Amino acid sequence: MAHRWTNNLTHEEITPEPLFMNRRQLIAGAAAGAAVAGLSTRADAQEALEPNPWEDITQYNNFYEFGTGKTDPAAYAGALTTDPWTVTIDGLVEKPGEYSFKDIMAEMTVEERIYRFRCVEAWSMVIPWNGFELADLLEMAGAQPEGKFVRFETLYRPEEMVGQKYRTIDWPYVEGLRMDEALHPLTIMATGIYGKTIPNQNGAPMRLVVPWKYGFKSIKSIVRITVTDEEPVNTWQDLQASEYGFYANVNPEVDHPRWSQATERKVGGGLFSKRVPTLMFNGYEEEVASLYEGMDLRKYY
Ligand SMILES: Nc1nc2c(c(=O)[nH]1)N[C@H]1C(S)=C(S)[C@@H](COP(=O)(O)O)O[C@H]1N2
Ligand SMILES: [Mo]
């Protein structure tokens, strides 16, 4: 991939928006005016990005391979062997093959990304991930220009993944991205949280994180990445296409058929847990809206 169209983003530019807004607000705060009021309304909507504690992030999970309850993954994912781990990269790539996780890590630059994370079920957290840009991995494998999409697959190993003994899902779990989404600098493969190795329940050893999309796009414990010219059918779309689409961009204006997406419940805070407005593209509108210019977001949900 000779051409990485957004690889010139500086760290400042990828700072999650509320922090950025707050900094701008501080500057703007000196001057009074309507614009300042507008900014503060927006920033107050979700405060500064304060990461959830480790306990929230690692004990309240969705990972159906270990059961459908929120505490099942923390209870059962310890049984998963994540070393050795191999990722098959195939399809429209110059260097198809089986890559060991260790060999991948030797080539990648890991950094911290503090991202909002919004589940389609309308709960949210803020998570300090450690990971590398998916674009770097695709470049390493030599993704070819005819590749319009990337398809991802989770491990299928029912001996270690107790939830796979039940046909809740047509295993393995599958996800997909359009190539421009996959190459976007906000899209990462997470390998850690709070500077520690990512726990099994969060998708060890390597899981996708696409912060402007509903959480189900962020597929865990990946063993296969395929560059393809066909739009992949993702697991949730396959289960219920009228409710879950391919795009799954966070959008407060497009409700789920069975509930509103206008607000979300911040996980944590116990009795003081509160609902806050959901932001367009989960607060990453400035960075990603151009990917969907001219698209009807009600149709491509
Ligand atoms: N393989 C796999 N990946 C998955 C899921 C799953 O059940 N299986 N659940 C998804 C959903 S619905 C969400 S909200 C996030 C949850 O990630 P977390 O538990 O790290 O917060 O993982 C996503 N990735
Ligand atoms: Mo989710």
Side-chain angles (χ1 to χ4, degrees):
M1 218 155 306
H3 181 63
R4 281 267 305 280
W5 59 275
T6 36
N7 64 356
N8 57 348
L9 269 193
T10 65
H11 192 71
E12 246 80 275
E13 286 170 294
I14 56 173
T15 298
E17 200 173 16
L19 280 182
F20 181 56
M21 299 287 285
N22 286 347
R23 216 182 303 131
R24 285 212 327 241
Q25 230 184 308
L26 283 178
I27 299 159
V36 178
L39 277 181
S40 77
T41 305
R42 181 75 191 286
D44 287 349
Q46 221 163 1
E47 307 154 316
L49 273 194
E50 175 80 38
N52 279 71
W54 173 263
E55 290 68 32
D56 292 346
I57 299 169
T58 62
Q59 288 168 35
Y60 185 93
N61 300 100
N62 273 334
F63 200 168
Y64 278 26
E65 283 81 346
F66 297 103
T68 55
K70 291 288 181 282
T71 56
D72 288 339
Y76 302 117
L80 179 65
T81 309
T82 59
D83 181 16
W85 191 270
T86 309
V87 183
T88 301
I89 307 184
D90 59 6
L92 302 167
V93 294
E94 280 155 27
K95 289 169 270 181
E98 296 197 352
Y99 292 79
S100 82
F101 177 65
K102 283 201 180 73
D103 289 348
I104 290 174
M105 289 305 275
E107 298 292 317
M108 298 292 120
T109 307
V110 172
E111 46 181 302
E112 184 182 62
R113 298 286 180 93
I114 302 172
Y115 283 161
R116 275 181 289 274
F117 190 88
R118 169 61 156 86
C119 175
V120 74
E121 297 163 335
W123 54 265
S124 67
M125 296 197 205
V126 174
I127 305 184
W129 303 106
N130 309 97
F132 55 86
E133 291 187 13
L134 175 60
D136 290 340
L137 184 60
L138 292 172
E139 187 179 4
M140 186 186 99
Q144 294 172 349
E146 312 89 83
K148 301 287 180 260
F149 298 92
V150 186
R151 181 183 182 280
F152 306 86
E153 237 177 68
T154 294
L155 177 69
Y156 177 69
R157 191 186 285 160
E159 318 87 81
E160 292 185 356
M161 298 176 122
V162 289
Q164 288 181 332
K165 299 198 161 97
Y166 310 92
R167 295 277 301 192
T168 42
I169 280 172
D170 185 10
W171 312 107
Y173 193 99
V174 170
E175 260 305 334
L177 293 174
R178 224 169 54 187
M179 184 57 85
D180 57 348
E181 299 174 326
L183 294 180
H184 194 281
L186 286 176
T187 303
I188 59 166
M189 281 290 180
T191 55
I193 294 172
Y194 273 117
K196 300 189 183 108
T197 299
I198 195 169
N200 288 359
Q201 59 265 36
N202 294 91
M206 181 176 113
R207 62 89 60 84
L208 186 68
V209 176
V210 194
W212 71 94
K213 292 178 179 284
Y214 291 121
F216 68 82
K217 297 296 291 182
S218 293
I219 180 174
K220 295 177 169 182
S221 304
I222 295 167
V223 292
R224 189 169 174 204
I225 299 174
T226 307
V227 175
T228 164
D229 54 5
E230 266 176 57
E231 185 177 294
V233 178
N234 48 314
T235 287
W236 282 96
Q237 187 185 6
D238 179 57
L239 279 170
Q240 194 57 266
S242 60
E243 301 188 357
Y244 310 99
F246 173 77
Y247 282 93
N249 291 316
V250 175
N251 189 339
E253 288 157 26
V254 179
D255 287 338
H256 184 279
R258 294 183 280 128
W259 58 83
S260 165
Q261 295 291 27
T263 64
E264 64 202 52
R265 175 180 63 86
K266 285 166 71 93
V267 170
L271 282 175
F272 305 103
S273 170
K274 50 186 168 181
R275 292 196 83 85
V276 298
T278 287
L279 303 175
M280 188 62 197
F281 294 113
N282 205 24
Y284 302 98
E285 182 170 15
E286 224 172 278
E287 291 88 343
V288 302
S290 62
L291 299 179
Y292 309 104
E293 235 164 54
M295 272 178 70
D296 178 354
L297 299 177
R298 284 181 188 281
K299 183 168 174 217
Y300 297 100
Y301 55 90

